[in-house]
Amino acid sequence: MQNVIERAVILSEEETFSVDETWLTPVTPNTAAPSVPLVAKLIDHEREMIETALRDAEGLISGPTGAATKLGIPRQTLESKIRKLGINRHRFRTS
């Protein structure tokens, strides 16, 4: 309330000030609706990136030509994400 009054005083062009009613109605962002599809999209995108890196690295995770290096993340992190996402890394091996 203090901020509303201060704002009204600052923006007042006359000796009496008035408060715009829109300043008093709280705006609640609708964050619940887009979060579920956003999380699903992020998981799908992460899975695609990991699978692409594994395909390019022929299933190899570590080393200079491994998927972890291609993604710019530590080997342990990639292995954890592979387990979490249920990716079968062996299907990308060519030999």
Side-chain angles (χ1 to χ4, degrees):
M1 184 59 105
Q2 178 181 348
N3 291 340
V4 171
I5 294 171
E6 288 175 357
R7 184 176 181 180
V9 170
I10 291 170
L11 296 175
S12 175
E13 295 177 359
E14 301 173 8
E15 289 191 24
T16 59
F17 71 90
S18 61
V19 175
D20 187 343
E21 288 183 30
T22 60
W23 299 347
L24 299 175
T25 52
V27 177
T28 54
N30 187 4
T31 57
S35 66
V36 173
L38 179 60
V39 170
K41 286 181 183 179
L42 289 173
I43 291 170
D44 288 343
H45 185 65
E46 184 176 42
R47 179 186 312 276
E48 288 175 24
M49 289 176 62
I50 291 171
E51 289 179 348
T52 300
L54 284 168
R55 193 173 296 110
D56 292 346
E58 298 179 349
L60 187 64
I61 291 180
S62 59
T65 60
T69 303
K70 293 179 184 301
L71 293 168
I73 61 175
R75 174 192 53 82
Q76 298 90 338
T77 303
L78 179 57
E79 288 174 343
S80 173
K81 289 180 180 290
I82 288 171
R83 279 191 304 276
K84 179 182 170 190
L85 295 171
I87 297 172
N88 179 1
R89 70 183 186 109
H90 300 293
R91 72 177 187 190
F92 299 102
R93 291 191 181 246
T94 56
S95 55

